[in-house]
Amino acid sequence: MSRWLASVQSLEEAQTLVEQLPDILDMKNPSQGALGALTHQTVADIVQWVNKRCLCSATVGDLAMQAEVISAAIHDMAETGVDFVKVGLFDEPGLVRCIEQLEGSIKDLQTPVIAVLFADQLPQHNLIPLLKKTGYAGVMLDTATKNGLGLLNHLSIQSLNKFVFEAKSAELLCGLAGALRIENIQQLRPLDADYLGFRSAICHQHTRTNLLDPNLAKQIQFQMNASMPKAKTG
């Protein structure tokens, strides 16, 4: 049963969602790239405000595929108290070696780490078995280039279904994001990803760097709930 994730860029934005907290409150700086990072203090402040009313995740930034850099970043972000740390795995030379070198850091960390792959920059080979082997708790798809094109502009429903199936077969949490729109919910819910992620869809003028609009978040929440099968009675 898919849950929903909302990305916020400040404590003030998070507080506008007090009446419709998502299943996962994600923290990132959309003005700093696909997975721009907020300051550790901002993340810690949001985690404290949430006070376990929902799960929290945070990105570590658009980092080069260098194990020592990423290792330090995920450890520092984990200290903020988030439930998940998200790290982008960009299709660069040395990506596989970087993942392998991070195994010790990922497995030693008490906080689960989610790998983010990019639908517009997918590696040629399937990384899911390697991610499972090296200790990642989950994997999600997003888009690296934020130019108005969404996840479904890059991958078909069939391809996304295969991704979800492979992730779940590996017992990894699975998420789908990337300029998703409210109308995509009905298309993606049948794939049964663990969560669907939203940022631009809940911002003024559907622009990810604009301020969050709580009324749009309410629409997403309503649609996610409306998409859920009704419980049988009697």
Side-chain angles (χ1 to χ4, degrees), residues 8 25-29 36 38 42-43 46-47 56-59 82:
V8 298
L25 190 69
D26 182 55
M27 289 162 260
K28 66 182 175 185
N29 186 345
L38 296 175
T42 298
V43 174
I46 296 173
V47 170
C56 293
S57 65
T59 61
V82 291

Side-chain angles (χ1 to χ4, degrees), residues 91-131:
D91 188 23
E92 299 176 2
L95 171 59
V96 170
R97 179 169 174 78
C98 177
I99 295 172
E100 292 171 341
Q101 290 176 333
L102 281 168
E103 181 173 356
S105 296
I106 299 293
K107 289 184 174 179
D108 288 344
L109 199 68
Q110 296 298 311
T111 305
V113 180
I114 306 296
V116 182
L117 304 178
F118 299 97
D120 48 342
Q121 297 181 12
L122 276 180
Q124 292 186 354
H125 48 286
N126 184 2
L127 292 178
I128 288 177
L130 179 61
L131 296 176

Side-chain angles (χ1 to χ4, degrees), residues 145-226:
T145 304
K146 303 301 183 180
N147 57 1
L149 296 180
L151 183 68
L152 289 167
N153 294 113
H154 298 288
L155 294 175
S156 66
I157 289 292
Q158 291 77 12
S159 296
L160 295 174
N161 187 55
K162 180 181 178 183
F163 171 82
V164 173
F165 175 80
E166 290 176 347
K168 291 200 154 198
S169 296
E171 299 181 333
L172 295 174
L173 288 173
C174 177
L176 301 176
L180 298 185
R181 300 176 179 273
I182 191 170
E183 55 265 28
N184 296 144
I185 294 174
Q186 291 289 350
Q187 299 170 279
L188 297 176
R189 281 298 293 270
L191 304 186
D192 203 27
D194 291 300
Y195 61 93
L196 303 181
F198 301 91
R199 172 64 193 178
S200 57
I202 57 176
C203 290
H204 290 285
Q205 299 177 322
H206 301 302
T207 300
R208 67 192 298 267
T209 53
N210 286 350
L211 291 177
L212 188 149
D213 183 342
N215 290 320
L216 293 174
K218 286 181 181 178
Q219 293 176 29
I220 295 290
Q221 185 180 59
F222 177 82
Q223 187 62 41
M224 290 293 292
N225 290 337

